[in-house]
Amino acid sequence: MTIRTIITGATGMVGEGVLRECLLDPTVEQVLVINRKPGGVTHPKLTEIIHADFTNLSAIESRLRGYNACFFCLGISSVGVSADDYVRTTYDLTLAFARTMARLNPDMTFCYVSGAGTDSTERGNLRWARVKGKTENDLLKLPFRRAYMFRPGFLEPTPDLKNVKSYYRFVSWLIPVVKLFYANAGSTLAELGRAMIHAAEQGYDKPVLEVPDIVKAGKLP
């Protein structure tokens, strides 16, 4: 099976890393990135659409048909963000985008980058975890061919990415320590990208992938 995928968040660290793996992987034959600003990446199988409002895709719908995967990597941290703004970006925007994808491409596999610690019960003490949990739960109800929720923990960035968050410069020395004492705390960004490609191409045996699942799927052929 060849993959024709749409990627969001490609101007952020996670999305850029997933995009890189897609461009390297021969099973991915076509990539469409939807960005609010130019990503600055060129490649023979890459197309970019600049679009401001991810809750309303009507102006570009004709260009979104014919894809069988979506790697949704767009997101924000809850730190320093109001409750309303976090819900609007994390839940409202994501579900609006996903509903359009399901309507235009019902044979699509939708892969959502969530986060370790997400609360599937939607009743825990952490606001961000409840919102992420509701987002995951409602994505899984949409009429996609398949949907997978990826919950990465600490992500080791891929070398030479442009959009690596600045604080990684100060904590990169901790990566070997984390791997040694907390094997299930994180994965590489490359493993996340490859795990998403694997899920789109071959599926996975459960809809929610925690860190050990991401590492496992990222190494599968």
Side-chain angles (χ1 to χ4, degrees):
M1 172 183 170
T2 56
I3 298 171
R4 302 177 305 282
T5 188
I6 294 172
I7 299 178
T8 68
T11 56
M13 186 185 87
V14 174
E16 183 186 9
V18 171
L19 171 61
R20 180 182 184 275
E21 297 307 313
C22 288
L23 297 179
L24 290 172
D25 196 305
T27 64
V28 181
E29 68 173 12
Q30 189 176 356
V31 180
L32 171 67
V33 295
I34 306 176
N35 291 330
R36 292 192 178 99
K37 60 183 181 180
V41 178
T42 58
H43 192 278
K45 61 183 178 183
L46 176 64
T47 302
E48 181 180 57
I49 295 177
I50 305 301
H51 185 76
D53 186 359
F54 280 55
T55 65
N56 183 356
L57 303 173
S58 57
I60 60 172
E61 278 193 8
S62 63
R63 303 176 65 184
L64 306 181
R65 297 181 186 274
Y67 291 88
N68 59 12
C70 178
F71 300 152
F72 195 94
C73 306
L74 188 157
I76 60 171
S77 168
S78 63
V79 178
V81 177
S82 72
D84 287 345
D85 285 345
Y86 188 71
V87 170
R88 272 194 292 269
T89 300
T90 302
Y91 180 82
D92 296 341
L93 182 153
T94 303
L95 265 293
F97 189 96
R99 289 185 185 113
T100 300
M101 292 294 103
R103 175 169 55 83
L104 297 177
N105 300 295
D107 196 43
M108 173 177 278
T109 296
F110 192 92
C111 296
Y112 173 64
V113 178
S114 183
T118 291
D119 178 15
S120 296
T121 72
E122 305 178 31
R123 295 192 296 269
N125 293 326
L126 296 174
R127 182 190 74 201
W128 75 264
R130 294 195 305 271
V131 175
K132 285 277 193 181
K134 179 172 176 56
T135 303
E136 286 186 356
N137 291 339
D138 288 355
L139 286 172
L140 289 169
K141 296 173 186 174
L142 294 179
F144 289 111
R145 178 171 178 246
R146 294 182 299 221
Y148 297 101
M149 309 296 111
F150 288 77
R151 296 181 175 180
F154 185 87
L155 282 169
E156 181 180 349
T158 304
D160 302 323
L161 293 185
K162 295 186 300 181
N163 297 303
V164 175
K165 297 181 184 299
S166 58
Y167 63 77
Y168 274 90
R169 301 172 191 167
F170 304 102
V171 301
S172 60
W173 63 273
L174 280 172
I175 293 174
V177 178
V178 171
K179 286 183 174 180
L180 181 62
F181 293 103
Y182 305 99
N184 292 333
S187 63
T188 67
L189 183 47
E191 286 170 335
L192 175 61
R194 291 195 294 268
M196 295 173 82
I197 294 169
H198 177 85
E201 183 191 10
Q202 301 184 41
Y204 197 70
D205 58 6
K206 53 185 176 179
V208 177
L209 287 80
E210 304 284 358
V211 171
D213 300 297
I214 292 170
V215 173
K216 175 185 173 182
K219 294 176 179 176
L220 291 172

